[in-house]
Amino acid sequence: MNPEDELLAVYDAEGLVIGAADRGTVYREGLWHASAGVLVRSSDGTRVYVHRRTDSKLVFAGMHDCLAGGVVDAGENPADTAIRELREELGVDVPVGTVLPLRATVSWDGIWAGRALRCHLFGYEYRYDGPFTHQPSEIADGWWWTDAELRAHLRDPAWPFVPDTRAVLDGLLTGGNGSRR
């Protein structure tokens, strides 16, 4: 299936689901949609799993990220998206019945490839030490960093890091419920 044909949930600016559209339309028209991402921490909480996206991704190709995540499909809720994306991107199977803690939310109204990109982001956390199995079409490489190592790289505005993750990350790294709309 062509990724641009995937049916996504469409949201309004306030964060309410108002319909559905294919991914190509959502990106071309700059429609509000949602994304769920999971910050994977080591079991002891001292490290964060960071990865580089493949050069073939539809958005933010080749950039670094520390969330396993993706867009919310039509009829799906963000918590289910988070668990699905963790399995698809990193090969992590979350036990049935596990509830991932929602740590941060933010609405990001940005630009990608010269077009508006508007997304409500839901940031979750999961403790896991590996192993990881990268989805070859999405993840080029991955490694562990401490929060301090990640923050040091984030201070460099030229470091190619996914901008919507950058927007939600403060709430995730502080461990609080850093909700912002």
Side-chain angles (χ1 to χ4, degrees), residues 1 21 31 44 62 103 129 137 142 149:
M1 181 172 151
L31 301 177
D44 64 7
R103 297 287 189 213
D129 292 318
S137 63
E149 288 171 311

Side-chain angles (χ1 to χ4, degrees), residues 5 20-21 24 37 45 49 51 71 73 76 79 86 90 119 133 135-136 143 149 152 164 177:
D5 294 335
Y49 196 74
H51 65 271
V71 294
D73 288 342
E76 188 176 43
L86 198 51
L90 299 179
C119 188
T133 303
Q135 184 178 51
W143 56 91
E149 288 171 311
D164 59 353
N177 196 3

Side-chain angles (χ1 to χ4, degrees), residues 86-106:
L86 198 51
R87 181 181 59 254
E88 288 176 3
E89 290 189 359
L90 299 179
V92 177
D93 286 316
V94 176
V96 174
T98 301
V99 176
L100 300 182
L102 179 63
R103 297 287 189 213
T105 60
V106 68

